Amino acid sequence: MRNIATFLVCAFVVFSTYSQQNQKKFKIRTVGFYNLENLFDTENDSEKNDEASPIMEMKGDKEEVYWDKIDKLGEVISQLGEEKAKTSPAILGVAEIENRKVLEDLVKSERLKSKRYEIIHFDSPDKRGIDVALLYQPRYFKPIHFEAFNPNIYDQNFKVDTRDILLVTGYLDDELVHVIVNHWPSRRGGEAKSRPLREKAAYKVKQIIEKIKENDPNPKVLIMGDFNDDPINSSFKTVLQTKSKKKNVKEGDIYNPYEDMFRRGFNTLGYRDNINLFDQIMFTSPLLDKGEKDFSTYKMFKSGIFNKRFLTQKSGRYKGYPFRSFSYGKYTGGYSDHYPVYMYLIKEDK
């Protein structure tokens, strides 16, 4: 797999020039998503199959491994968006976490404690006990409603115990936004065989958006997650009907900037010599600037993949892949088997 260069181009140079010419100041907020790769604690929960997690299967000092992983994840999150926003994400969706406790340890870690992140989390019915959650900096984002939706997926008349879909509604500064955090069913058994499961999850997201529209007819919705699908798969193109070209986006449509990245060879993970872009952030039309340069309200300025060199395996079997935490029952000292993704939202600071 190719080693991918960081997906940030000269757009911020253009932005800086534009802002200087017009003598305007802008607020910049980062929205991100990160699959934390089996962030489990070291205690056995008899109500979950958590003993199948990599850290529980290890021999040796599990506590030392746990706190090292917490520290490393905090290191990554603290840098996500910091270059332009001067702070870590205002809003961060996360996946593959066991419970609220691991998130409390994460937000209190050395690199994140000054951000005072707060947590929105529900225990999901996933058999392994892995959940999604939302972290947010309350000085930027103030939630007013949150709810977990079971996707109600059935396979051959048996219910699939997968992760809930998390909806959080709140104010990003003074603007109402809706954030939907996802971790769709895996490709276990093959992509084609498991495809209907992810299509059903996508349909649930569509239903959630329709529910949002009952009170907010043209909502600003951010849809993020580890979808276990690439941007060109049917869950996006057929069910959610995502658009990859700005000119084709109409009111109410969903724009996915990661489709163009995928076609250009970018990725967020590698598996069995294939590269995939499963981690994405897409959004509805009110957050899209189509060239008007009207930033009186928050608009997406740039989307990216945080794939710094220190997050990439430099040698061995997984060279060029994200530097994962666990491999063959051992702790590697890495970060995650997924790169985080992020988006800069900007608006005029009046």
Side-chain angles (χ1 to χ4, degrees):
M1 188 181 78
R2 292 179 298 171
N3 204 3
I4 306 296
T6 302
F7 188 76
L8 275 179
V9 290
C10 61
F12 264 100
V13 177
V14 176
F15 167 59
S16 299
T17 304
Y18 173 77
S19 61
Q20 290 169 7
Q21 289 173 347
N22 292 270
Q23 295 183 334
K24 294 179 180 178
K25 294 182 179 180
F26 291 83
K27 291 180 181 178
I28 306 175
R29 302 286 181 248
T30 308
V31 175
F33 174 81
Y34 197 10
N35 180 317
L36 303 181
E37 191 201 352
N38 290 300
L39 182 57
F40 280 64
D41 61 30
T42 60
E43 298 176 9
N44 183 29
D45 186 338
S46 60
E47 296 182 0
K48 301 176 182 177
N49 188 27
D50 62 345
E51 61 269 18
S53 66
I55 197 166
M56 293 298 287
E57 293 178 337
M58 287 179 50
K59 296 179 181 179
D61 193 340
K62 295 181 177 64
E63 283 289 325
E64 182 179 352
V65 167
Y66 174 74
W67 289 109
D68 189 62
K69 182 169 173 64
I70 286 285
D71 184 61
K72 282 185 163 65
L73 293 173
E75 176 188 359
V76 178
I77 294 168
S78 69
Q79 295 184 40
L80 193 57
E82 197 276 337
E83 181 180 3
K84 300 300 179 184
K86 306 306 178 187
T87 186
S88 55
I91 298 171
L92 179 70
V94 294
E96 281 200 19
I97 54 99
E98 182 184 9
N99 50 37
R100 185 180 182 90
K101 176 185 177 298
V102 299
L103 293 175
E104 290 173 347
D105 289 342
L106 178 62
V107 301
K108 292 175 184 176
S109 63
E110 187 64 30
R111 291 173 172 85
L112 295 182
K113 61 183 180 182
S114 65
K115 314 298 182 184
R116 301 184 182 278
Y117 275 108
E118 295 190 10
I119 300 163
I120 296 175
H121 164 263
F122 293 89
D123 286 314
S124 79
D126 181 86
K127 285 184 177 180
R128 282 188 55 220
I130 58 175
D131 307 328
V132 298
L134 191 84
L135 309 181
Y136 65 94
Q137 293 195 55
R139 56 179 168 168
Y140 303 124
F141 181 69
K142 294 176 173 55
I144 59 172
H145 175 78
F146 42 89
E147 186 174 356
F149 292 84
N150 190 302
N152 290 320
I153 298 172
Y154 286 81
D155 184 21
Q156 298 179 355
N157 296 321
F158 290 96
K159 190 168 185 179
V160 178
D161 293 321
T162 189
R163 281 74 61 176
D164 285 331
I165 298 173
L166 176 63
L167 167 65
V168 180
T169 294
Y171 286 92
L172 181 61
D173 295 314
D174 59 350
E175 293 189 23
L176 187 66
V177 298
H178 312 269
V179 185
I180 302 175
V181 187
N182 301 263
H183 188 187
W184 290 356
S186 75
R187 293 189 170 194
R188 183 171 298 173
E191 187 278 326
K193 183 179 179 181
S194 60
R195 184 185 305 154
L197 308 183
R198 290 182 295 282
E199 290 177 341
K200 290 171 185 175
Y203 183 70
K204 176 57 70 173
V205 170
K206 193 171 183 177
Q207 288 181 316
I208 294 170
I209 294 173
E210 291 305 311
K211 180 180 173 69
I212 291 169
K213 288 181 178 179
E214 293 174 4
N215 298 309
D216 188 1
N218 192 23
K220 296 178 178 178
V221 184
L222 293 149
I223 306 156
M224 62 175 65
D226 171 1
F227 298 98
N228 278 304
D229 262 345
D230 292 314
I232 60 171
N233 289 134
S234 58
S235 55
F236 298 117
K237 303 307 294 180
T238 302
V239 181
L240 291 177
Q241 298 181 325
T242 55
K243 302 293 191 296
S244 63
K245 296 185 183 300
K246 292 183 179 182
K247 65 180 181 180
N248 295 334
V249 176
K250 299 177 182 178
E251 183 175 309
D253 284 346
I254 298 170
Y255 176 67
N256 188 355
Y258 288 84
E259 184 174 341
D260 180 61
M261 295 185 212
F262 179 71
R263 294 185 187 280
R264 293 168 57 190
F266 288 83
N267 72 290
T268 58
L269 74 156
Y271 181 66
R272 293 182 177 176
D273 296 325
N274 293 318
I275 61 169
N276 296 100
L277 210 167
F278 289 169
D279 308 84
Q280 305 161 52
I281 306 173
M282 57 204 78
F283 53 90
T284 52
S285 56
L287 288 164
L288 178 65
D289 172 64
K290 298 175 71 173
E292 305 93 341
K293 291 185 170 60
D294 177 9
F295 295 103
S296 57
T297 62
Y298 274 119
K299 300 287 177 63
M300 187 275 289
F301 186 72
K302 193 68 184 177
S303 296
I305 301 165
F306 193 72
N307 50 8
K308 298 288 188 180
R309 290 189 65 186
F310 75 93
L311 290 176
T312 302
Q313 182 72 43
K314 297 177 177 60
S315 61
R317 178 178 180 179
Y318 297 111
K319 182 179 180 180
Y321 285 41
F323 187 11
R324 62 192 303 143
S325 299
F326 302 101
S327 179
Y328 295 99
K330 295 181 179 180
Y331 181 59
T332 65
Y335 300 82
S336 173
D337 54 354
H338 291 244
Y339 291 128
V341 291
Y342 65 99
M343 174 190 304
Y344 288 120
L345 296 174
I346 67 168
K347 69 180 291 186
E348 291 180 31
D349 190 4
K350 297 179 182 179

